[in-house]
Amino acid sequence: MTRETMTPPDSAKPARTGSTMASIQAQWRAARPDLDCRPMAVFGQLWRSSQFAMRAVEANLKQYDLDMAGFDVLLTLRRQENGEALTPGDLARDMMMSPPAMTNRIDRLVARQLVERHADPDDRRALRVGLTEQGRVLADRAVETHLQVEQGLLQTLSQSDRDQLVALLGRIGGQT
């Protein structure tokens, strides 16, 4: 008999199989009982859920040969009232990114003929970016399947659960 088989199982000892939030918490309680590691469970679940959702969303966008960055630009332009074009600076601010990064995204979408640049009627020195008809059609198709993917990811939650989750996450993000 080996020492391992003679040692009775210790029920207080965390299981080493899998890495569920419960097992991670148990391992931390054993390793550092002086710490309250409960925040790790919250953020661990947020990050895991986020990664799971991102993989599903990116798989959907692949059929349109889009990445998240391009998709975000298309949808930002698509949701503007009356198809209003935006300046690259407006787009960058709306999407919380730097103007150089926005220029790169716009260039890629212009090359695919999904967006176009044109002179700003209020300022001859400035440009505005708007959807082409092809871009509008693609944005409409992509947002429909995107929402189907998101609906599928949320299917186990009631609308009340979803509303509560939005409110709770908004409180964490400072958007109450």
Side-chain angles (χ1 to χ4, degrees):
M1 225 184 223
T2 67
R3 177 170 159 72
E4 188 174 86
T5 57
M6 294 189 321
T7 307
D10 181 358
S11 60
K13 201 173 204 175
R16 296 197 85 88
T17 59
S19 59
T20 65
M21 285 301 129
S23 68
I24 291 170
Q25 291 287 16
Q27 291 167 8
W28 274 113
R29 278 193 300 277
R32 290 292 308 270
D34 59 311
L35 296 177
D36 178 4
C37 294
R38 289 178 292 182
M40 284 183 185
V42 173
F43 287 98
Q45 289 296 77
L46 279 172
W47 291 322
R48 285 181 178 199
S49 296
S50 174
Q51 290 299 310
F52 182 74
M54 286 302 295
R55 283 191 299 272
V57 167
E58 287 169 350
N60 177 58
L61 294 179
K62 195 176 212 174
Q63 69 181 311
Y64 305 108
D65 194 27
L66 285 173
D67 58 12
M68 281 300 296
F71 181 61
D72 203 10
V73 171
L74 292 179
L75 292 193
T76 299
L77 290 169
R78 178 61 182 99
R79 70 176 183 257
Q80 300 310 304
E81 192 172 337
N82 299 320
E84 179 185 346
L86 298 175
T87 67
D90 289 339
L91 276 168
R93 275 187 297 283
D94 189 76
M95 296 169 57
M96 296 179 285
M97 48 185 317
S98 71
M102 180 53 64
T103 298
N104 187 348
R105 288 181 181 182
I106 293 168
D107 288 345
R108 286 184 279 168
L109 294 170
V110 166
R112 289 188 58 194
Q113 299 179 338
L114 298 174
V115 302
E116 59 189 2
R117 291 182 177 99
H118 52 84
D120 186 329
D122 299 326
D123 181 355
R124 293 183 310 179
R125 299 168 297 165
L127 293 174
R128 290 198 167 263
V129 178
L131 288 174
T132 62
E133 183 57 31
Q134 183 180 343
R136 183 183 178 90
V137 168
L138 181 63
D140 283 344
R141 278 197 333 242
V143 74
E144 289 171 9
T145 59
H146 174 76
L147 287 170
Q148 290 169 358
V149 167
E150 289 182 336
Q151 180 64 30
L153 293 169
L154 296 173
Q155 69 185 352
T156 61
L157 299 178
S158 69
Q159 189 56 53
S160 175
D161 290 340
R162 295 173 192 193
D163 294 342
Q164 184 178 15
L165 184 58
V166 167
L168 292 170
L169 293 173
R171 285 172 45 195
I172 290 173
Q175 298 178 10
T176 56

